[in-house]
Amino acid sequence: MQYRYSINWCGGWHHALRDSAQGFCYVNDIVLAIEMLRKTFGKVLYIDIDVHHGNGVEYAYMATDKVLTLSFHQYEPGFYPTSGSLDDIGIDKGKYYTVNVPFKEGINDDKYITMFQKISNMVNSSYNPKCIVVQCGADSLVGDPIGGFNLTPKALAECVKNVMKWEKPTLFLGGGGYNEAN
């Protein structure tokens, strides 16, 4: 392994499906990256901290135990993409390898950071992935016109720091974000 961390802030197109574009995403670069990483690392943990549920990535891996998807997102009636409930846990061989953490609009830094650290640390410890992929959508920041969270950059930075403490090969990706200042 030459580098522990890689960053592609232009990546993170988590809504695209195998056969269709969705949510401004025409190709799911995350799934393509995970498939390449699986050739070297086997088990991959995908973490999504975009305000929108990472539906395209979840659907790609909902029937396998080789990739565990963990999504922290806003989940309310009518909020895009309307998926990612607590009851979505995967199917077949992938049952219990899909973890959704749905929040209501307005969550703040302290609550988000606490939930992220507790849940992600538990998932990392029990799943023991060999590689991590993190989608860091800026649309979870306060002021985003199509997001509803009340987070500051501190919350996203704490999530990234938490993942880096695991000292595993990690790919960090950008994602949504519709407020130029953010």
Side-chain angles (χ1 to χ4, degrees):
M1 177 179 69
Q2 190 172 4
Y3 302 102
R4 180 167 289 148
Y5 306 111
S6 296
I7 301 171
N8 176 10
W9 292 133
C10 295
W13 299 54
H14 62 168
H15 296 304
L17 303 178
R18 165 180 276 197
D19 58 356
S20 65
Q22 287 195 6
F24 307 124
C25 304
Y26 58 89
V27 64
N28 199 317
D29 63 304
I30 300 169
V31 170
L32 296 174
I34 289 172
E35 287 305 301
M36 293 301 293
L37 292 167
R38 283 184 59 207
K39 292 177 183 177
T40 301
F41 297 104
K43 286 173 43 174
V44 177
L45 170 59
Y46 170 70
I47 303 174
D48 195 310
I49 57 176
D50 191 288
V51 76
H52 300 97
H53 175 242
N55 60 319
V57 180
E58 179 178 304
Y59 297 161
Y61 296 109
M62 65 191 313
T64 183
D65 59 358
K66 301 298 183 201
V67 177
L68 190 149
T69 61
L70 172 59
S71 182
F72 297 83
H73 54 272
Q74 185 173 331
Y75 181 74
E76 298 184 72
F79 189 77
Y80 186 82
T82 69
S83 57
S85 81
L86 282 173
D87 298 327
D88 296 336
I89 58 171
I91 60 171
D92 302 328
K93 222 176 159 179
K95 192 168 186 179
Y96 307 118
Y97 291 89
T98 295
V99 179
N100 285 296
V101 184
F103 295 113
K104 296 220 178 276
E105 182 177 20
I107 191 165
N108 64 27
D109 284 357
D110 292 337
K111 290 178 183 170
Y112 191 92
I113 292 166
T114 298
M115 293 292 288
F116 181 87
Q117 289 175 341
K118 285 182 180 179
I119 295 168
S120 67
N121 287 340
M122 188 182 315
V123 167
N124 177 54
S125 176
S126 62
Y127 185 59
N128 193 26
K130 304 305 176 210
C131 180
I132 318 285
V133 175
V134 184
Q135 198 267 25
C136 305
D139 55 5
S140 58
L141 297 175
V142 67
D144 193 274
I146 63 173
F149 284 173
N150 198 22
L151 303 180
T152 68
K154 173 190 171 191
L156 299 187
E158 289 301 318
C159 294
V160 168
K161 285 185 209 174
N162 190 72
V163 171
M164 292 175 76
K165 286 179 187 174
W166 302 338
E167 297 185 347
K168 294 183 179 181
T170 305
L171 171 60
F172 292 101
L173 302 167
Y178 309 95
N179 177 329
E180 195 172 323
N182 288 347

